[in-house]
Amino acid sequence: MTRAQRRPWERDACMTQVMTHEERTALRDSVRRLLADRCAETDVRRVMASDTGHDDALWRELAGLGVAGMLVSEDNGGSGLGPVELELVMEEFGAALSSAPMISTAMAAMLLDGARAQALAAGELIVAVAPLGVHDWTGQSDVRVAGGRAEGVARFVPDGQIADLVLLAGDDGVYAVARDAFSATSLPVFDRTRRLADLHIDGPVERICDGSRVAGALAVGLLALAGDQAGGARRVLEFTVDYARERRQFGRAIGSFQAIKHMAADLLLEAESATSAARNAAEQLAGDAADRDGALALAAFACADAYVRCAKDGVQMHGGIAFTWEHPAHLYLRRARSGAQLFGDSRHWRERFIQALEAQS
Amino acid sequence: MTRAQRRPWERDACMTQVMTHEERTALRDSVRRLLADRCAETDVRRVMASDTGHDDALWRELAGLGVAGMLVSEDNGGSGLGPVELELVMEEFGAALSSAPMISTAMAAMLLDGARAQALAAGELIVAVAPLGVHDWTGQSDVRVAGGRAEGVARFVPDGQIADLVLLAGDDGVYAVARDAFSATSLPVFDRTRRLADLHIDGPVERICDGSRVAGALAVGLLALAGDQAGGARRVLEFTVDYARERRQFGRAIGSFQAIKHMAADLLLEAESATSAARNAAEQLAGDAADRDGALALAAFACADAYVRCAKDGVQMHGGIAFTWEHPAHLYLRRARSGAQLFGDSRHWRERFIQALEAQS
Amino acid sequence: MTDEELKAEVTAWLAANWRGAPQRTERFGPDPRAEWLAKVRDAGWAAPRWPKEWYGRGLSDAQARIVESCFAEAKAPGTGQDRSNLWANTALAHATETFKRQIVPQLLAGEVGMCLLYSEPGAGSDLAAIRTRADKVEGGWRVTGQKVWTSGAHIADYGMLIARTDWSVPKHRGISFFFMPMRQKGVDVRPLRQITDETHFNEVFIDDAFIPEENLLGNLGGGWGVLQTALAYERSVMGDAARGARSGAKEAHGDAALLELAREAGKLSDPLVRQDVAQVIAWRMLNSLNTRRAKAELKQGTSSSIMSLGKLAMSRILHEEGRVRTELLGPESLLQGPDHPRAEDANFLSLNAYFTSIGGGTDQIQRNIIGERVLDLPREPEVDRDVAFSAVVAGR
Amino acid sequence: MTDEELKAEVTAWLAANWRGAPQRTERFGPDPRAEWLAKVRDAGWAAPRWPKEWYGRGLSDAQARIVESCFAEAKAPGTGQDRSNLWANTALAHATETFKRQIVPQLLAGEVGMCLLYSEPGAGSDLAAIRTRADKVEGGWRVTGQKVWTSGAHIADYGMLIARTDWSVPKHRGISFFFMPMRQKGVDVRPLRQITDETHFNEVFIDDAFIPEENLLGNLGGGWGVLQTALAYERSVMGDAARGARSGAKEAHGDAALLELAREAGKLSDPLVRQDVAQVIAWRMLNSLNTRRAKAELKQGTSSSIMSLGKLAMSRILHEEGRVRTELLGPESLLQGPDHPRAEDANFLSLNAYFTSIGGGTDQIQRNIIGERVLDLPREPEVDRDVAFSAVVAGR
């Protein structure tokens, strides 16, 4: 996004007033309570087993808390919040393995206005975003837009299988594709908490804004993912440490053995660093800071790597019990692995990070 | 070296007869005893502090055991042995931090014949080898040979500071440079047990053989270095484990703590793998096997990496005592670090290794 | 009998009898080749090193190897069970006379399915902490408890069981070893779903099951010792059975496969990929070289510390290969299932690597063992070493 | 007094008195600025939070910070020692009245050199296992033992010493804390050469040295507690003083430096180098972000577990940066000395990284602390916890 381009949370007058620490904590707590109640492990497994991978009733309730419309301006029925609040909420989503279409929704909020933004904020309209051209992180999408029509396949689109509307986001503009102009092939994904679809597009499209907004939408998507990863990393470490405190072998809690204790200490460094990176990226994005690109890139790979390591070592620290399907550790490992590919892998983001450093030096 | 080119240990009739296991063990033991006696830590430090970094008396004695002439044919007054014996002896040199010019001598043995080979085997002639052109691992040498003269600088040449003769080893031929045609600048090296010199060459040279022998000489140099590293890695692990058995903190030997015990177990895997790699490379080289290049490349990076890791973690496992100059741990770390650069770093050799795999598949 | 005479006899016997047999596809459960195996047993070829009394021929190891090579040449199965049959070896060494007479011939002919009832939910790394109890009753024992990580329990006739028969002594000393009949009320076998979505293992719930008197192996309370010999057999039999990929050639994760995948993915010219692929392949090769050297050193009579490193090495190789395969596939690795075999392989490998890094002793336990038994580092203080197991349990 | 009045007074005092002073170049030893510092002390600015009785002015923290900012503006040293002077704080808190009267003014004026006599060859990670003994004699104590890793011992007048005064109780309970006079027969200071070839530290051999009665701090046998407060002061004063390179700007190992080295070495276009450089810089940034977040959370009153991670993080950063710098330089890294500053930096950093990963508690000890104090994992069984130290020594 160009520096001049103002984001929703800046456009709105009241948005210059940032939420207080207490308000943010209250928002986080209300999301946490709802997820504890409605997105417990059994719910996660139920949604994993479902066709759509989506819990619409819960999504409507989250919308009721203002979460779906978080980045939508209050004029359009949203909560008019910003990246800092988004990141905080995503930590909760990640910790709970929520499959709510929050990343897609946050990205869409950066691209939609008017009635569609309103429906988005109400949780009534599910919108998937397919980045094209230079933004296509999959390297495998081939949608061509010309003469008011689009044709081709957009690959690995999050929440594509439940989308009512698809936004094709390219450098030359953003195009809306209505439900009758695409068909979605739900992909057999390794991480069943994060559904992806190939979208076969063939039909008329509507140009809704120019391409200058796309980078901002992608930045928000990346930030949301980073928050999810930081939250997931901390949660998997938390229940692993809990287990290490309780589980006894050789007459002692296994957490009293240095092999386990030291792994836990190393993972704490990873999980806390990821959290710092994600929150810093949110602040930089909110503040439109000069090193925003670097901060986002840093969050992208630091959070992905930290989550994978915490989830991996978490399984190892549990031992046999975590090798069973019924134990939740592998759900986090699957989610960590899927997040580490989504929107580009860590190597890609390390490269982008050093590019940002070079640009500054 | 081309496949057809026979090495000394093949050229000689008696060489088809490989040393027995017992003979090899006896050779190793005699070298080990001599080094224990004459290359103890105090000797190492004395030689480190000396100008030349060379213990000529000890070198003559090693020559007396047949070590200097190991790869020189019996016709030329050598012991007519092969890579397997060289590697075994180098493990002892590495373990003892010997600064004897054995790598240079082994390389030179692959290039010299006649009276010079005889003097080499007797320990009377110290020969340094400077690889040029495609073989120049430093990327910084610029010696030009033309019209029976050579001019330029050969950089980072092992044992150059004590050399009586320098061999310029390029693809187009090997040239001998006599003492009056070069001057050596002894380099201020980080690892004082392995001296290097820049050789400023300006004078007549003598062509002694064509370039086809050079690869063989380099292979032998690489193998010798790998043996040195494997021996060093095992030795540093050995005295670290000894210390961990004796040193008590918190009322227990520190080796009873998993933090130390598990590091030691991991290092054992590294050190033993390095030993397997070096010995395998020796066998492949002796047997002129098809995957000789791959085996050498594997030994090059496996031994370098293992040694660095064992020496590094060895310091950590000792704690404060190894942060002192008077403790030998850092001497091994310095040696490990210098070996990891000599003849190309691990990244270079991993690349060569995968090239060898590609050539086979 | 000379070697030549022996060879002639085996060859003639095979020529007269071997007409092929059905393949064995399941590692556990009754053997479909039972008819043939019974014939091999009755002819004395099943366990040629054993005495005649026990279906053998009392042959030396060298001569037994001749028998084995004749069978191998004819591609006929069934011999060499004196080296390879875990169950029969354990029974012969430790079972009561009565039970041995009954079970050994059945085991040699593969007529009974077997399983291992060792690990428990509360006794994994610390196997001696088992709490399955066997209480003495008239004519035998009554058993109650729970076992996990059991392969083939659903098709087994007997399970080799460790259970606690004395709670008043330290943990290693109150354990006994049994052949427990599996087909009885009181033994409930449930499949255990792994993180790879496979079910190779079972949980076994034991509720007041009965074991006859004669099914005790070794002495009462001496089960830990019997277990050690059984585990040693198992290690030497199973070897390194770490599996790689699920689809296609399961053992094909050698050097070529990863290189080939990189080439297929169009990434073999990428310098980072080249380094990663080279390193994984290097570790595999180093592990093979270590194994080869260990065997050579054992032959030369020098003790070898290298043998114990294989499992730890393999653990790193598998985890790292999973990582590199994932990196090679990029977004494709997000998928699974039969339509995406490369992704299936990468994901399966990444998860199944824990089979090696956790199963049969975690990497952490393995490092303890290497540190203590190979490097002779002192053991940790053991808080439950000399304490009656009932007190350890109470202290939880 | 209002803030404005205070500010006016300090400013006026500085205007009247401050004419500059010699720079301090040595961290230890008598302070060349002593004359100025005595003036500051006598004016009551040295420790403005302290009571007037102790050279202070009894100011609130907020007002004391005003004094500090006035001094900072004038670039005048000497104030804020109630926060920064380890020695004076320790003495004020724990010394006897007699000794306090003598030493505190001297410490505030930097008139005496100080050093720390804590670690011993046999007591590193396990500091409470010290064996330096202090035996009661007429009028004081006689001390014998050996201390290591002492900075500035050769120019010190006193050492803060822990020594064992009671061998019949467990290790933590028999230790006492002293200000030991260094300039006496019986105290032999020898430089300790580090692996970096520097000599920042000393070994101190103590043979029947004398400590007067009044130099005991805290209670007899209560030295471990005094030590803990002294260590806490030290941590808050020293902050994270991990040094980077030797030549040139010592603290310049920020983000730009490594990137610049890669560019200088002509390797900034190498994709592997880019990944390595990016990762090291990322770890540095993450560590800064962690510290910033920890401070912010502490202000918000939520407890922060992040603070304790800095040393462990820095250890990895330094070791890894040493590796990457070495890789960037290639053969050049084989060299050292003033003619090869880049190699000198890479090699120094690689070795000096142990200053952080070993010094002040090894990474291993640090992980124990994080595991136990932050993650609340249970402690290991401690074999020497409740044993008289003499018995621990005998049990070696």
Side-chain angles (χ1 to χ4, degrees):
Chain A
M1 128 185 75
T2 60
R3 292 326 269 312
Q5 170 84 30
R6 296 176 70 78
R7 272 85 30 88
W9 57 88
E10 295 179 320
R11 257 181 276 155
D12 222 337
C14 76
M15 276 311 90
T16 55
Q17 186 89 26
V18 136
M19 253 186 165
T20 65
H21 178 66
E22 287 67 27
E23 287 167 339
R24 265 183 212 141
T25 306
L27 170 66
R28 187 199 62 196
D29 288 349
S30 64
V31 171
R32 186 180 288 179
R33 273 192 304 272
L34 182 58
L35 293 177
D37 188 33
R38 304 280 305 282
C39 186
E41 190 187 330
T42 48
D43 301 302
V44 170
R45 289 180 184 270
R46 176 175 45 77
V47 176
M48 279 174 65
S50 72
D51 278 349
T52 60
H54 178 60
D55 184 340
D56 202 56
L58 176 56
W59 181 237
R60 301 274 176 149
E61 274 198 68
L62 283 161
L65 286 182
V67 167
M70 188 169 252
L71 299 191
V72 174
S73 69
E74 291 184 299
D75 288 354
N76 283 325
S79 340
L81 299 174
V84 174
E85 292 76 22
L86 172 66
E87 192 281 334
L88 206 61
V89 166
M90 284 308 301
E91 289 184 21
E92 299 304 316
F93 278 50
L97 298 173
S98 157
S99 20
M102 191 60 213
I103 296 178
S104 301
T105 301
M107 291 168 76
M110 302 293 290
L111 302 172
L112 293 176
D113 296 295
R116 279 174 178 150
Q118 217 155 344
L120 185 80
E124 290 158 8
L125 187 75
I126 308 273
V127 183
V129 180
L132 298 182
V134 294
H135 304 302
D136 172 25
W137 61 273
T138 73
Q140 299 179 28
S141 300
D142 66 353
V143 180
R144 291 164 309 282
V145 182
R149 293 185 57 86
E151 202 190 315
V153 182
R155 299 219 57 195
F156 300 104
V157 180
D159 308 311
Q161 82 290 351
I162 52 165
D164 303 305
L165 185 74
V166 171
L167 301 182
L168 302 174
D171 248 1
D172 55 341
V174 178
Y175 299 86
V177 190
R179 193 65 200 82
D180 50 6
F182 72 88
S183 70
T185 305
S186 196
L187 292 170
V189 283
F190 175 70
D191 167 21
R192 303 272 296 169
T193 70
R194 179 177 281 137
R195 296 298 174 89
L196 307 168
D198 284 352
L199 300 180
H200 304 265
I201 298 167
D202 188 4
V205 295
E206 175 197 344
R207 185 182 166 93
I208 59 165
C209 64
D210 72 26
S212 63
R213 281 211 209 164
V214 172
L218 297 179
V220 157
L222 205 59
L223 174 68
L225 176 59
D228 179 287
Q229 291 166 325
R234 287 211 313 282
R235 177 64 58 87
V236 74
L237 175 59
E238 191 180 299
F239 71 72
T240 301
V241 168
D242 285 347
Y243 183 73
R245 261 188 236 111
E246 296 306 321
R247 167 77 170 176
R248 296 176 74 87
Q249 294 279 272
F250 306 103
R252 298 161 51 180
I254 60 169
S256 72
F257 289 101
Q258 289 186 337
I260 298 297
K261 188 179 289 176
H262 291 192
M263 279 172 101
D266 285 338
L267 295 188
L268 182 66
L269 174 58
E270 299 301 320
E272 291 298 346
S273 299
T275 304
S276 296
R279 294 186 187 172
N280 174 61
E283 285 162 26
Q284 302 299 311
L285 199 54
D288 200 16
D291 52 353
R292 198 191 56 215
D293 291 351
L296 266 171
L298 175 62
F301 70 86
C303 296
D305 292 350
Y307 195 7
V308 169
R309 180 156 171 207
C310 289
K312 272 198 68 126
D313 287 1
V315 172
Q316 182 69 27
M317 288 162 74
H318 276 86
I321 185 78
F323 197 64
T324 64
W325 185 270
E326 67 183 315
H327 193 277
H330 74 104
L331 304 182
Y332 285 84
L333 179 52
R334 288 165 187 266
R335 177 103 155 191
R337 284 172 59 83
S338 80
Q341 294 297 332
L342 198 67
F343 303 152
D345 65 10
S346 288
R347 178 179 165 184
H348 169 78
W349 289 109
R350 263 192 296 273
E351 174 57 34
R352 291 285 293 264
F353 173 65
I354 198 170
Q355 283 170 17
L357 292 174
E358 287 175 290
Q360 275 170 50
S361 73
Chain B
M1 134 184 68
T2 60
R3 292 325 267 312
Q5 170 83 33
R6 297 176 70 77
R7 274 87 26 89
W9 56 89
E10 295 180 318
R11 255 183 274 154
D12 221 338
C14 75
M15 277 313 88
T16 54
Q17 185 90 26
V18 135
M19 251 187 169
T20 65
H21 178 68
E22 287 67 28
E23 286 166 339
R24 264 182 211 140
T25 306
L27 170 66
R28 188 199 60 196
D29 289 348
S30 64
V31 171
R32 186 179 289 179
R33 272 193 305 271
L34 181 58
L35 293 177
D37 187 34
R38 303 281 304 282
C39 186
E41 191 187 328
T42 47
D43 301 303
V44 169
R45 290 181 184 269
R46 176 175 46 77
V47 175
M48 279 174 66
S50 72
D51 278 349
T52 60
H54 177 60
D55 184 341
D56 201 57
L58 175 56
W59 181 237
R60 303 274 175 148
E61 272 198 69
L62 283 161
L65 286 182
V67 168
M70 188 169 253
L71 299 190
V72 174
S73 67
E74 293 184 299
D75 287 355
N76 284 325
S79 340
L81 299 173
V84 174
E85 292 76 22
L86 172 65
E87 192 281 333
L88 206 61
V89 165
M90 285 309 301
E91 289 184 21
E92 299 304 316
F93 277 49
L97 298 173
S98 157
S99 20
M102 189 62 213
I103 297 180
S104 300
T105 300
M107 291 169 76
M110 301 293 290
L111 301 171
L112 293 176
D113 297 294
R116 281 174 178 149
Q118 217 154 344
L120 184 80
E124 290 157 7
L125 187 75
I126 308 276
V127 183
V129 180
L132 298 181
V134 294
H135 304 303
D136 173 24
W137 60 273
T138 74
Q140 300 179 27
S141 299
D142 65 353
V143 180
R144 292 165 308 282
V145 182
R149 293 185 58 85
E151 203 191 314
V153 182
R155 299 219 56 195
F156 300 105
V157 180
D159 309 311
Q161 81 289 353
I162 52 165
D164 303 305
L165 186 75
V166 171
L167 301 181
L168 302 174
D171 248 1
D172 56 340
V174 178
Y175 299 87
V177 189
R179 194 65 202 83
D180 51 4
F182 71 90
S183 70
T185 307
S186 197
L187 292 169
V189 284
F190 175 70
D191 167 21
R192 303 271 297 170
T193 70
R194 180 177 280 137
R195 297 296 175 90
L196 306 168
D198 284 351
L199 300 179
H200 304 265
I201 297 167
D202 188 3
V205 294
E206 175 197 347
R207 185 181 165 94
I208 59 166
C209 64
D210 71 27
S212 63
R213 281 210 207 166
V214 171
L218 297 179
V220 157
L222 205 59
L223 174 69
L225 175 59
D228 178 287
Q229 291 165 325
R234 289 211 313 284
R235 176 65 59 89
V236 75
L237 175 59
E238 190 179 300
F239 70 71
T240 300
V241 168
D242 285 347
Y243 183 73
R245 262 190 234 109
E246 296 306 320
R247 166 78 171 178
R248 296 176 75 86
Q249 293 280 272
F250 307 102
R252 298 160 53 180
I254 61 169
S256 71
F257 289 100
Q258 289 187 337
I260 299 297
K261 189 181 288 176
H262 290 193
M263 280 172 100
D266 285 338
L267 296 188
L268 182 67
L269 175 57
E270 298 302 318
E272 291 297 345
S273 297
T275 304
S276 295
R279 294 186 186 170
N280 174 61
E283 285 162 26
Q284 302 298 310
L285 199 55
D288 200 16
D291 52 354
R292 198 190 54 213
D293 290 351
L296 266 171
L298 174 62
F301 69 87
C303 296
D305 292 351
Y307 194 7
V308 169
R309 180 157 171 206
C310 289
K312 272 197 70 123
D313 287 0
V315 171
Q316 183 68 28
M317 289 162 74
H318 276 85
I321 184 82
F323 196 65
T324 64
W325 185 271
E326 67 184 313
H327 193 278
H330 75 104
L331 304 182
Y332 286 84
L333 179 51
R334 287 165 186 266
R335 178 103 155 191
R337 284 172 60 83
S338 80
Q341 294 297 332
L342 197 67
F343 303 153
D345 65 10
S346 287
R347 178 179 166 185
H348 169 79
W349 289 108
R350 264 192 296 272
E351 174 58 35
R352 293 285 293 263
F353 174 65
I354 198 170
Q355 284 171 15
L357 292 172
E358 287 176 290
Q360 274 171 51
S361 73
Chain C
M1 198 187 316
T2 68
D3 291 358
E4 285 66 33
E5 286 166 354
L6 174 64
K7 192 168 179 181
E9 184 183 344
V10 183
T11 312
W13 186 86
L14 281 166
N17 291 282
W18 174 238
R19 299 286 174 270
Q23 288 289 306
R24 177 165 210 186
T25 50
E26 272 275 1
R27 220 178 83 208
F28 297 91
D31 198 314
R33 307 163 305 177
E35 194 185 332
W36 164 252
L37 293 175
K39 200 175 265 184
V40 176
R41 174 196 65 199
D42 297 341
W45 302 129
R49 290 168 189 81
W50 287 0
K52 293 218 171 115
E53 182 194 358
W54 288 106
Y55 307 91
R57 290 176 167 244
L59 295 184
S60 69
D61 184 64
Q63 287 201 319
R65 283 180 192 274
I66 293 173
V67 178
E68 287 173 21
S69 75
C70 292
F71 271 67
E73 205 163 294
K75 299 200 170 76
T79 192
Q81 294 192 53
D82 39 19
R83 291 198 300 132
S84 68
N85 192 322
L86 163 65
W87 327 104
N89 275 285
T90 307
L92 187 73
H94 300 288
T96 57
E97 191 65 19
T98 321
F99 189 61
K100 220 153 48 173
R101 288 281 159 215
Q102 171 203 327
I103 198 74
V104 167
Q106 292 183 310
L107 288 169
L108 289 177
E111 288 159 0
V112 288
M114 294 292 306
C115 68
L116 300 172
L117 301 170
Y118 297 164
S119 296
E120 299 181 6
S125 294
D126 183 14
L127 190 55
I130 53 159
R131 293 174 185 219
T132 293
R133 58 187 313 132
D135 297 318
K136 192 75 189 74
V137 294
E138 179 67 35
W141 285 269
R142 285 280 170 195
V143 186
T144 296
Q146 184 190 345
K147 295 288 177 177
V148 285
W149 303 117
T150 303
S151 298
H154 54 299
I155 45 174
D157 298 291
Y158 291 95
M160 296 211 303
L161 170 83
I162 50 173
R164 190 165 304 279
T165 47
D166 186 349
W167 297 71
S168 68
V169 292
K171 62 181 182 179
H172 293 93
R173 286 191 259 140
I175 296 171
S176 299
F177 195 107
F178 303 93
F179 263 57
M180 181 175 80
M182 292 292 286
R183 303 185 189 280
Q184 61 172 311
K185 195 170 154 296
V187 175
D188 180 16
V189 177
R190 300 182 205 163
L192 185 62
R193 194 172 169 196
Q194 300 155 227
I195 54 174
T196 53
D197 209 358
E198 300 169 303
T199 50
H200 289 309
F201 299 100
N202 307 105
E203 290 179 287
V204 179
F205 296 85
I206 309 168
D207 181 15
D208 207 33
F210 182 73
I211 303 179
E213 192 97 53
E214 64 269 23
N215 288 24
L216 172 71
L217 273 74
N219 296 325
L220 193 63
W224 189 253
V226 178
L227 176 68
Q228 295 315 305
T229 64
L231 289 175
Y233 278 128
E234 193 180 344
R235 270 193 293 270
S236 78
V237 171
M238 305 285 182
D240 192 352
R243 284 176 313 144
R246 177 149 53 179
S247 82
K250 289 202 178 182
E251 305 294 332
H253 283 284
D255 320 335
L258 188 59
L259 198 70
E260 198 38 54
L261 181 66
R263 188 174 290 147
E264 252 180 63
K267 294 191 177 167
L268 197 48
S269 61
D270 180 324
L272 264 109
V273 165
R274 292 174 72 79
Q275 292 284 311
D276 280 350
V277 167
Q279 188 63 62
V280 172
I281 295 177
W283 278 332
R284 273 199 191 274
M285 283 194 181
L286 292 172
N287 194 34
S288 304
L289 292 175
N290 280 346
T291 307
R292 206 179 70 188
R293 186 157 72 91
K295 286 186 184 160
E297 289 190 1
L298 283 173
K299 263 186 208 156
Q300 284 162 11
T302 57
S303 76
S304 179
S305 65
I306 320 161
M307 210 63 128
S308 61
L309 298 168
K311 184 164 177 293
L312 193 59
M314 191 51 75
S315 169
R316 173 167 72 173
I317 290 165
L318 295 171
H319 280 287
E320 184 64 8
E321 180 160 344
R323 186 188 73 74
V324 173
R325 284 182 171 255
T326 304
E327 168 186 300
L328 282 173
L329 295 179
E332 186 182 333
S333 72
L334 290 161
L335 306 178
Q336 64 179 5
D339 292 344
H340 306 282
R342 301 194 306 186
E344 182 77 2
D345 277 1
N347 287 319
F348 177 77
L349 183 63
S350 299
L351 294 182
N352 204 52
Y354 293 102
F355 181 80
T356 298
S357 67
I358 291 176
T362 61
D363 283 357
Q364 286 67 40
I365 294 286
Q366 202 61 25
R367 290 191 183 98
N368 259 8
I369 293 173
I370 293 167
E372 290 165 13
R373 300 199 196 152
V374 181
L375 294 173
D376 198 25
L377 288 166
R379 299 174 68 93
E380 286 186 277
E382 286 162 280
V383 298
D384 61 348
R385 187 82 189 166
D386 300 315
V387 183
F389 190 71
S390 54
V392 176
V393 174
R396 279 186 69 112
Chain D
M1 199 187 313
T2 68
D3 290 359
E4 284 65 34
E5 287 165 355
L6 175 63
K7 195 168 175 180
E9 184 183 346
V10 183
T11 312
W13 187 87
L14 281 166
N17 291 281
W18 174 238
R19 300 283 172 274
Q23 287 290 305
R24 179 166 207 184
T25 50
E26 272 276 0
R27 221 179 80 209
F28 297 89
D31 198 313
R33 307 165 306 177
E35 195 184 332
W36 164 252
L37 292 174
K39 200 175 267 187
V40 175
R41 174 195 65 198
D42 296 341
W45 301 129
R49 290 167 189 83
W50 286 1
K52 293 215 170 123
E53 182 196 356
W54 288 106
Y55 305 92
R57 289 176 165 243
L59 295 185
S60 69
D61 185 63
Q63 288 201 319
R65 282 179 194 274
I66 291 174
V67 178
E68 288 173 21
S69 74
C70 291
F71 270 68
E73 205 162 294
K75 297 198 171 78
T79 192
Q81 294 191 54
D82 38 19
R83 292 197 301 131
S84 67
N85 192 322
L86 163 65
W87 326 103
N89 276 283
T90 307
L92 187 72
H94 300 287
T96 56
E97 192 64 20
T98 321
F99 189 60
K100 221 152 50 170
R101 287 280 157 216
Q102 171 202 328
I103 198 75
V104 167
Q106 293 184 310
L107 289 170
L108 289 178
E111 288 159 359
V112 289
M114 293 293 306
C115 67
L116 300 172
L117 301 170
Y118 297 163
S119 299
E120 298 180 6
S125 295
D126 184 13
L127 189 55
I130 52 158
R131 293 175 185 219
T132 293
R133 60 187 313 134
D135 297 318
K136 192 75 191 72
V137 294
E138 181 66 35
W141 285 267
R142 286 278 169 195
V143 185
T144 297
Q146 185 188 345
K147 294 289 177 178
V148 284
W149 303 118
T150 302
S151 298
H154 53 299
I155 45 175
D157 298 292
Y158 291 94
M160 295 212 302
L161 170 82
I162 49 172
R164 191 166 302 281
T165 45
D166 186 351
W167 298 70
S168 69
V169 292
K171 60 181 181 179
H172 292 94
R173 286 192 260 138
I175 296 171
S176 299
F177 196 107
F178 302 93
F179 264 57
M180 180 175 81
M182 292 293 286
R183 302 184 189 280
Q184 61 172 308
K185 193 167 155 297
V187 175
D188 180 17
V189 176
R190 298 180 205 164
L192 186 62
R193 194 171 169 196
Q194 298 155 227
I195 54 175
T196 53
D197 208 359
E198 299 169 304
T199 49
H200 290 308
F201 300 100
N202 307 106
E203 291 179 287
V204 180
F205 296 84
I206 310 168
D207 182 15
D208 206 32
F210 181 73
I211 303 180
E213 192 99 52
E214 64 270 23
N215 288 25
L216 173 70
L217 272 74
N219 296 326
L220 194 63
W224 189 252
V226 178
L227 176 68
Q228 295 314 306
T229 64
L231 289 176
Y233 278 127
E234 194 180 344
R235 269 192 294 268
S236 78
V237 171
M238 305 285 183
D240 194 350
R243 285 176 313 143
R246 177 150 51 180
S247 82
K250 288 201 178 182
E251 303 296 333
H253 283 284
D255 319 336
L258 188 58
L259 198 70
E260 198 38 55
L261 180 67
R263 187 174 291 146
E264 251 180 64
K267 293 191 178 169
L268 197 48
S269 60
D270 179 325
L272 264 110
V273 165
R274 291 175 72 79
Q275 292 283 312
D276 280 350
V277 167
Q279 187 62 63
V280 171
I281 295 177
W283 278 332
R284 272 199 192 273
M285 284 193 181
L286 293 172
N287 194 34
S288 304
L289 292 174
N290 280 345
T291 306
R292 207 180 68 187
R293 186 157 72 90
K295 286 185 183 160
E297 290 190 2
L298 282 174
K299 265 187 208 156
Q300 283 161 10
T302 57
S303 77
S304 179
S305 63
I306 320 160
M307 211 62 131
S308 61
L309 298 168
K311 184 165 177 292
L312 193 58
M314 191 50 76
S315 168
R316 173 167 71 172
I317 290 165
L318 294 172
H319 279 288
E320 185 63 8
E321 180 161 342
R323 188 189 72 75
V324 173
R325 285 184 170 254
T326 305
E327 170 186 298
L328 281 172
L329 295 179
E332 186 180 334
S333 72
L334 290 161
L335 306 178
Q336 65 180 3
D339 293 343
H340 306 282
R342 304 194 305 185
E344 182 76 3
D345 276 1
N347 288 319
F348 177 76
L349 183 64
S350 298
L351 294 182
N352 204 53
Y354 293 102
F355 182 79
T356 299
S357 69
I358 291 176
T362 62
D363 284 356
Q364 286 67 40
I365 293 287
Q366 202 61 24
R367 290 193 183 96
N368 259 8
I369 292 173
I370 294 167
E372 289 166 14
R373 300 198 196 153
V374 182
L375 294 173
D376 198 26
L377 288 165
R379 299 175 68 94
E380 287 186 277
E382 286 163 279
V383 298
D384 60 349
R385 189 79 188 169
D386 300 316
V387 184
F389 190 71
S390 55
V392 175
V393 174
R396 278 185 68 113

